[in-house]
Each structure stands twice: as structure tokens, then as C-alpha cells.
């Protein structure tokens, strides 16, 4: 039975909070963080699976009850802050919260921490540099990155630039094409998935976004990974089942 057949019913009825476990995929690096919602679905006994990653999405999640959920989670890796450069959180404030709460989470609970994932533009790069400088004595275990664009070569250059600047292995928690040409979307996805599968410095990655409806008008509709009825799109089926991925 295919991945799509096994989990379509679960995917149609997922809830935003309530982790069920891990999700099988073909690539050891191809994480189920294609969007945060998909992280909550799972299968027991899968030979290859990618785990649910709790996330401190923004500052409200540093307070109860969300913080308690993270603190008490049995999951070994926690993600910190989502595009804080666009959400009015300064590097200074993010670094202070990192020291106050994330570092104790690592020290007392043994968690590995993914640093804040920022936009791939110059503002995001500058924000990240400011944050990393302020936490240089207590750095993240993994570097969190996002990338949206139309050119796969540009995406690879960005990933390599960040890899050359920071020593941590990378978690690409969001990546997708914003092109309105379906062929370009597929080519971008195939190129990046195959590249990241073979980059030993990329710990895991996930394409955005596996949800019934588009989050907004930014990401290409052709990059959508779930149909409105909850079934996977053809692109999602390819991502989950092909390694190497091949163009359609």
C-alpha cells in the first residue's frame, strides 16, 4: 500500500496540536516538516520515518501552556522561532529568550536546538548574523533556514553560503517554489530535493506546504502538497516515494 493510501484519511482529519508520531518517507533527510501540520501525523513500525519537531513559533509559545508542552515533550529536537525577522522580534530579544529558556531546555532536558529560521533575503541574513553573534557561547545545534524563490541554482547558492558561514548542520524547515509555471515548480523541487539528499551537511528539510488551502498568495499553487479534499498532490507523492526524484 502506498504512503498516500495509508495516510490520506489521517491527513484529511489532522488537528493542529496533537502529535501522533513519525511519518515514513523514502529519503533519510526528507523530513516531514513540509509544513508544521504534517509533523503531527505518524506511523508505527516504519522502516524510515521523520519525526515530529516541536516549535517555539514566536514569542507567545514561550509562555504556558505551549511552553509546558515543549518542556515536557519527549521529542529530542526543538525548533526556535519562525521568520522572526518579519515578526518584529529583534536579535537582541531573541537572544535573551534563547539564554533564558532555550539553553536551560538543552541543559536540563537534553534537547538539541534548531536556531531561528529567517527569510533568505538580506534582512534575514543580517538578523541571523546579529542573533548568532549574541549567542556565540551557546550556539544552536542546527542552523534553521527557509528559502522561497524560482531559481534552484540560486537556492543552492544560498544554502552553500549559509553553510560556509556557520558550522552547524542545517535544517531547512521551509522551502518551495513561488513560480507560477508548473514545469518550473517541479524542476525546482526535483533539483533541490536531490541536492539536499546528497548534502551531508543538511540534517533534514521539508517542502512547504502540506495543507488543504494555501496559506497565502505567496507560494505557487503548483507547489501545494495537499489537495482541498485532503489527498496528496502528485508533487507530494513524488516527494514521498522517489529517490532520486525525476522530472514528470
Amino acid at each position: 500500500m502506498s504512503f498516500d493510501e495509508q495516510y490520506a484519511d489521517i491527513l484529511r482529519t489532522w488537528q493542529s496540536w496533537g502529535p501522533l508520531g513519525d511519518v515514513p518517507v523514502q529519503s533519510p533527510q526528507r523530513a516531514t516538516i513540509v509544513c508544521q501540520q504534517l509533523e503531527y501525523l505518524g506511523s508505527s513500525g516504519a522502516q524510515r520515518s521523520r519525526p515530529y519537531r516541536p516549535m517555539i513559533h514566536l514569542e507567545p509559545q514561550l509562555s504556558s501552556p505551549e511552553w509546558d508542552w515543549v518542556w515536557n515533550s519527549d521529542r529530542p529536537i526543538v525548533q526556535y522561532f519562525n521568520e522572526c525577522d518579519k515578526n518584529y522580534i529583534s536579535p537582541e530579544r531573541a537572544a535573551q529568550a534563547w539564554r533564558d529558556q532555550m539553553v536551560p531546555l538543552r541543559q536540563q532536558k537534553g534537547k538539541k536546538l534548531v536556531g531561528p529560521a529567517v527569510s533568505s533575503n538580506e534582512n534575514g541574513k543580517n538578523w541571523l548574523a546579529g542573533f548568532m553573534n549574541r549567542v556565540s557561547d551557546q550556539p544552536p545545534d542546527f542552523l534553521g533556514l527557509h528559502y522561497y524563490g524560482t531559481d534552484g541554482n540560486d537556492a543552492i547558492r544560498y544554502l552553500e553560503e549559509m553553510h560556509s558561514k556557520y558550522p552547524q548542520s542545517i535544517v531547512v524547515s521551509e522551502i518551495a517554489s513561488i513560480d507560477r509555471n508548473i514545469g518550473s515548480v517541479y524542476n525546482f523541487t526535483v533539483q533541490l530535493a536531490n541536492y539536499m539528499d546528497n548534502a551531508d551537511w543538511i540534517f533534514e528539510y521539508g517542502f512547504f506546504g502540506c495543507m488543504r488551502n494555501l496559506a497565502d498568495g505567496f507560494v505557487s499553487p503548483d507547489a501545494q502538497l495537499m489537495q482541498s479534499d485532503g489527498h496528496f498532490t502528485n508533487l507530494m507523492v513524488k516527494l514521498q516515494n522517489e529517490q532520486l526524484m525525476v522530472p514528470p
Side-chain angles (χ1 to χ4, degrees):
M1 182 179 292
S2 71
F3 183 95
D4 189 30
E5 292 168 332
Q6 285 178 299
Y7 295 102
D9 287 340
I10 300 175
L11 281 162
R12 281 193 290 272
T13 57
W14 54 256
Q15 299 296 315
S16 291
W17 290 99
L20 301 178
D22 300 339
V23 184
V25 293
Q26 292 300 313
S27 165
Q29 288 167 288
R30 210 167 284 172
T32 54
I33 49 177
V34 286
C35 84
Q36 295 306 315
Q37 288 89 336
L38 184 57
E39 293 181 336
Y40 303 103
L41 309 178
S43 163
S44 58
Q47 289 185 339
R48 284 180 172 179
S49 63
R50 302 317 300 167
Y52 157 64
R53 303 295 191 209
M55 172 183 277
I56 308 300
H57 189 257
L58 292 170
E59 287 176 305
Q61 282 68 56
L62 291 168
S63 301
S64 296
E66 287 94 337
W67 176 251
D68 295 333
W69 300 342
V70 173
W71 184 264
N72 294 318
S73 169
D74 63 355
R75 298 297 168 156
I77 297 176
V78 176
Q79 296 184 358
Y80 182 58
F81 281 172
N82 180 77
E83 296 189 355
C84 32
D85 55 305
K86 299 197 298 188
N87 284 283
Y88 309 105
I89 302 173
S90 68
E92 295 86 353
R93 208 159 76 233
Q96 188 61 55
W98 178 267
R99 292 184 179 281
D100 290 346
Q101 291 183 247
M102 301 304 288
V103 172
L105 181 67
R106 177 163 57 192
Q107 293 174 338
Q108 297 179 40
K109 292 289 190 174
K111 307 297 186 186
K112 290 189 178 296
L113 305 179
V114 183
V118 297
S119 309
S120 58
N121 56 28
E122 288 304 314
N123 286 339
K125 292 178 187 179
N126 292 335
W127 192 102
L128 183 60
F131 173 83
M132 295 295 279
N133 287 337
R134 288 172 173 83
V135 301
S136 58
D137 59 330
Q138 291 285 354
D141 300 287
F142 302 100
L143 184 70
L145 295 179
H146 288 178
Y147 185 88
Y148 293 96
T150 60
D151 188 318
N153 293 326
D154 285 344
I156 290 170
R157 280 191 288 270
Y158 172 71
L159 296 177
E160 292 178 346
E161 175 189 354
M162 295 295 100
H163 174 54
S164 68
K165 188 170 184 178
Y166 302 106
Q168 290 87 354
S169 294
I170 289 174
V171 170
V172 185
S173 52
E174 292 183 23
I175 186 168
S177 172
I178 61 173
D179 203 308
R180 266 43 186 179
N181 178 283
I182 189 170
S184 296
V185 170
Y186 269 73
N187 288 337
F188 177 97
T189 306
V190 168
Q191 181 183 5
L192 267 295
N194 290 338
Y195 175 83
M196 292 189 288
D197 281 346
N198 288 287
D200 59 7
W201 42 272
I202 293 181
F203 179 72
E204 63 188 15
Y205 67 88
F207 281 85
F208 190 91
C210 195
M211 54 185 69
R212 290 172 180 261
N213 301 302
L214 289 169
D216 51 41
F218 181 61
V219 176
S220 173
D222 293 315
Q224 186 84 350
L225 300 176
M226 182 185 284
Q227 301 175 47
S228 60
D229 63 1
H231 286 93
F232 290 152
T233 63
N234 290 335
L235 183 59
M236 178 63 165
V237 172
K238 287 176 69 65
L239 271 169
Q240 296 294 336
N241 292 304
E242 291 183 6
Q243 190 184 21
L244 285 160
M245 286 189 74
V246 295

